[in-house]
Structure formats: C-alpha cells, structure tokens
Amino acid sequence: RLGVGVNTSHDAWDVLLQWTHWSTDAKRNFSGSTNFSHFGHPDQLDGLIVNAVNSKWRLQYDLLDLEAAREFWISPCVSMRPFGGLRTAWIDQKQFDVDLEDFSIPIFSRYSIQQSDRFFGIGIRSGLDMRWGFGYGFSQFNNFAGNLLYSYHSVKHKEKGDEDLLFD
C-alpha cells in the first residue's frame, strides 16, 4: 500500500491518493483416484475418474483511491471526518490451469482446463472516520466506507484434450 496526502491550509481540508496492490498464487498437486468432472465440460469428462490433478492459480488485486475530506470536532473528545472521492479497481485472476492425467477410461491421457477472469471498475467512494478520545492518549477509531463502481468483466474458459479438441 502506498499513499500520498496533503493537508491544505484552507479550512483544514485534506486530499489523499492511495494505491493498494496485492498479489498471491497457489499450486496444488493431487494423486489418487477422484472424480474431477465438475471442472470440465460434462460431455467430455462426465463420470470419468482421474488419478493425477495439477492446478495453479494467480490473483492480482489493485485499487486506486482519490479522496478529499475535512475533520470536524463535535466535542473535545469526539471527531468526525466525512470523505468522498473516486475509486478504480483492477482484479486479474490469471492462469487458472487444471491438468487432469491418467484417466480410468483411456479417452485422454491428459486434459487441460484454462480459465481467466479480468475485472475493471471505476466509480465513487464515500465514508466516515470517527475518533473517540478517552484521555491519556487512548482513543477508539470507527471507520465506515462504501463504493459504487461501474464494472466490466472478461471471463475466458478453454478446454483441451490430447486430441487437440478445444472448447470455448
């Protein structure tokens, strides 16, 4: 997470630009007899049992927020900071691959399934940050925020057996 903020001298307004990035991945290998047909096309894999499954998944998550806010003191111990601004988001799930091997009925020796999901959204963001001071430097913080994004998804799904059959 990376952010840059400015406290203005006019009416104690502040402006914040913040970028959040998170990336993760996972891999899993499984050996042993299992029915894994729920990942593939039912006409190709219905009822087949596989003895080896290899899969990998990758996720990239990015948010960019621009907000403006002003803090108000309701009492000497309670402050409120309403804010509003813009948010944009990108979420990419790349290379979700499932490789099935060693089928019970030798239709395929190997079958591959690839899926991806790309998301983009842009819209408004608003919220309220509150601080309740108890004295001696102790405070309780309450933060609430909401977003309304116009979004676009691009989902792809491909299956391929060793006869080079391709299903989209």
Side-chain angles (χ1 to χ4, degrees):
R1 181 175 263 185
L2 180 66
V4 175
V6 172
N7 291 325
T8 67
S9 58
H10 180 70
D11 271 351
W13 282 86
D14 62 88
V15 178
L16 173 67
L17 179 65
Q18 183 171 279
W19 173 54
T20 303
H21 173 77
W22 185 55
S23 180
T24 187
D25 60 10
K27 294 179 183 178
R28 182 70 190 233
N29 300 323
F30 176 77
S31 296
S33 189
T34 186
N35 183 337
F36 233 83
S37 63
H38 60 277
F39 272 103
H41 195 281
D43 288 344
Q44 298 296 320
L45 299 175
D46 190 32
L48 294 178
I49 296 174
V50 295
N51 291 317
V53 178
N54 301 309
S55 64
K56 61 182 175 179
W57 171 75
R58 182 176 176 195
L59 173 73
Q60 287 190 317
Y61 175 85
D62 290 286
L63 290 176
L64 186 63
D65 293 323
L66 176 64
E67 66 182 46
R70 185 173 187 274
E71 187 172 25
F72 298 94
W73 288 91
I74 298 173
S75 73
C77 298
V78 179
S79 72
M80 291 178 34
R81 182 184 170 268
F83 63 88
L86 300 173
R87 167 170 277 186
T88 183
W90 303 271
I91 304 172
D92 289 331
Q93 294 186 63
K94 297 180 181 180
Q95 298 175 347
F96 177 69
D97 297 331
V98 177
D99 293 323
L100 309 174
E101 298 175 7
D102 193 14
F103 287 84
S104 60
I105 302 171
I107 296 173
F108 305 108
S109 61
R110 183 169 180 229
Y111 196 85
S112 178
I113 303 167
Q114 298 175 344
Q115 299 181 50
S116 66
D117 181 6
R118 301 185 101 184
F119 168 85
F120 171 76
I122 188 166
I124 59 172
R125 170 177 168 78
S126 65
L128 177 67
D129 298 339
M130 294 185 69
R131 187 175 71 182
W132 304 75
F134 298 126
Y136 302 105
F138 291 99
S139 297
Q140 176 180 337
F141 296 91
N142 299 49
N143 300 327
F144 305 97
N147 308 290
L148 184 60
L149 299 179
Y150 173 78
S151 61
Y152 171 78
H153 269 278
S154 173
V155 179
K156 295 180 182 176
H157 178 91
K158 292 184 180 182
E159 298 185 31
K160 185 177 180 181
D162 46 7
E163 293 101 21
D164 291 334
L165 296 174
L166 189 64
F167 305 97
D168 287 329

